[in-house]
Amino acid sequence: MYQNPVSPVDLKIIQDWSKVVTMVNTIIEKSKTHHSEIRPYGNATFYDLGNHGSVIHHHISENWFMVHSKLLEKHLTWLPKMLADMSDLNPTWLISVLNSNAAEHTDFNHYPTALNYPINTTNAETYVKYLNQEFTYPSITDQPWLLSTKNPHGVRNNELRLVFNMHFGAEYDVVRQWFDSHPNLIYGN
């Protein structure tokens, strides 16, 4: 078992994120007025936008949104291969937009592991508490990190932080071993 609940990942995504970020912002704005369903989702509200996708607005941090959309997938042409390659880990994905601190929390039990792939560099620092210690990592463009999300974690941040985020149904040790055995991953062109 690994003793560190965060670890860098040897992964590179080649992507022009500008169109994706514009679409994410549009989808977030639509969620405020054009949703077909609203329902509680843990410490958040889930907004179903039909063909436009969905937005999760966290209550623990007012300026934290997570967006998933088939429309975005059209611009993430590498995503189907990535999801297929990682299928044994039960992955899911979204784009996280955070413009404040992310309050300390734990994620749903069925997704005990996450990967954060920063789209932009900010002063944000993610932390995970484990064995009476705090483990941290910075938010630097194209430097992804794996973290155990069943442990208390959060983000100290006062800038606009954009992250391609994956959650895995597999435990942290299993996901970390998978990445350790698949070095130099490159997706996109």
Side-chain angles (χ1 to χ4, degrees):
M1 175 161 177
Y2 295 100
Q3 292 300 309
N4 189 337
V6 301
S7 60
V9 174
D10 190 5
L11 167 68
K12 175 77 172 168
I13 298 173
I14 301 168
Q15 172 73 44
D16 176 359
W17 293 101
S18 59
K19 176 79 171 169
V20 173
V21 170
T22 298
M23 292 177 69
V24 163
N25 289 331
T26 299
I27 292 168
I28 290 171
E29 286 306 310
K30 281 186 184 297
S31 75
K32 296 175 182 175
T33 57
H34 293 88
H35 46 270
S36 61
E37 179 185 4
I38 302 174
R39 66 178 183 264
Y41 187 76
N43 287 325
T45 300
F46 177 89
Y47 296 89
D48 184 347
L49 304 175
N51 292 335
H52 292 286
S54 60
V55 174
I56 299 168
H57 181 199
H58 283 274
H59 300 298
I60 59 174
S61 300
E62 184 61 30
N63 293 310
W64 189 9
F65 298 89
M66 296 187 157
V67 177
H68 183 274
S69 172
K70 293 289 185 191
L71 297 174
L72 294 176
E73 289 180 16
K74 293 178 184 178
H75 298 281
L76 305 174
T77 57
W78 44 267
L79 186 59
K81 176 161 179 32
M82 176 187 271
L83 294 174
D85 289 351
M86 299 178 186
S87 63
D88 290 344
L89 304 175
N90 189 23
T92 186
W93 72 273
L94 47 79
I95 304 292
S96 173
V97 179
L98 176 66
N99 200 11
S100 64
N101 290 322
E104 188 171 299
H105 63 286
T106 56
D107 289 359
F108 291 119
N109 290 335
H110 58 279
Y111 287 117
T113 309
L115 178 137
N116 285 332
Y117 191 99
I119 296 171
N120 65 327
T121 298
T122 69
N123 66 359
E125 178 182 65
T126 300
Y127 66 89
V128 178
K129 292 182 176 177
Y130 179 67
L131 297 177
N132 297 317
Q133 290 183 288
E134 185 176 277
F135 298 84
T136 64
Y137 64 85
S139 187
I140 299 172
T141 302
D142 297 326
Q143 176 52 69
W145 289 81
L146 195 64
L147 65 148
S148 171
T149 57
K150 68 182 185 181
N151 294 303
H153 61 283
V155 182
R156 296 179 191 101
N157 176 58
N158 63 9
E159 296 181 326
L160 179 60
R161 175 182 175 261
L162 304 167
V163 172
F164 172 77
N165 174 266
M166 297 184 80
H167 277 88
F168 301 97
E171 292 292 328
Y172 175 80
D173 288 346
V174 172
V175 178
R176 184 164 173 189
Q177 178 59 44
W178 188 92
F179 278 100
D180 287 348
S181 63
H182 295 84
N184 305 312
L185 291 170
I186 299 174
Y187 292 96
N189 49 18

